[in-house]
Amino acid sequence: QVQLVESGGGSVQAGGSLRLSCAASGYTGSRYYMAWFRQAPGKPREWVATIYTGGGSTCSGDSVQDRFTISQDNAKNTLYLQINSLKPEDTAMYYCAADSRFKRLCRLTGADFNYWGQGTQVTVST
């Protein structure tokens, strides 16, 4: 059973940066699609970025690709999301997700992932 635990969220002022982490355990293989999603109050869940752990290929959403960077540390089984130039509209619960099924990298939905973390809250103030 894959387990995902996010950390690194917090309350920051606009313009600041955060690095979110997602510690993964319980893998039965070395090749997974891992992604970050976010959900703001009253809004649908939004895909943010994906990385394929087998080769490191990534894809990020058009609205965040200039400020968000997804990365991995295979030795630590940890996924990261570096968020720069934070804006109030980035306020949301951020979730990491994992799945081993073959899929495209971009514009994914929650249905593409079987495993989810509990989320970490990011709050950006002006």
Side-chain angles (χ1 to χ4, degrees), residues 40-92:
K43 294 187 177 181
R45 181 168 49 191
E46 177 188 11
W47 167 76
V48 173
T50 310
I51 189 167
Y52 176 54
T53 66
S57 298
T58 65
C59 184
S60 300
D62 291 341
S63 63
V64 303
Q65 63 182 353
D66 291 337
R67 299 184 296 116
F68 289 27
T69 302
I70 189 171
S71 63
Q72 61 177 355
D73 184 332
N74 285 340
K76 296 181 179 179
N77 288 331
T78 301
L79 176 73
Y80 301 102
L81 185 69
Q82 177 69 40
I83 311 175
N84 298 325
S85 302
L86 277 156
K87 304 176 180 180
E89 52 264 42
D90 294 322
T91 295

Side-chain angles (χ1 to χ4, degrees), residues 13-33:
Q13 289 191 325
S17 298
L18 281 174
R19 188 176 78 159
L20 308 183
S21 300
C22 173
S25 62
Y27 282 1
T28 57
S30 61
R31 300 179 180 183
Y32 271 74
Y33 295 84

Side-chain angles (χ1 to χ4, degrees), residues 5-7 11 20 34-35 37 39-40 55 60 74 76-77 79 96 104 106 108-109 116 124 126:
V5 179
E6 301 97 332
S7 62
S11 296
L20 308 183
M34 298 194 73
F37 287 78
Q39 188 166 21
S60 300
N74 285 340
K76 296 181 179 179
N77 288 331
L79 176 73
C96 72
R104 66 182 187 275
C106 304
L108 298 175
T109 70
W116 293 84
V124 184
T126 55

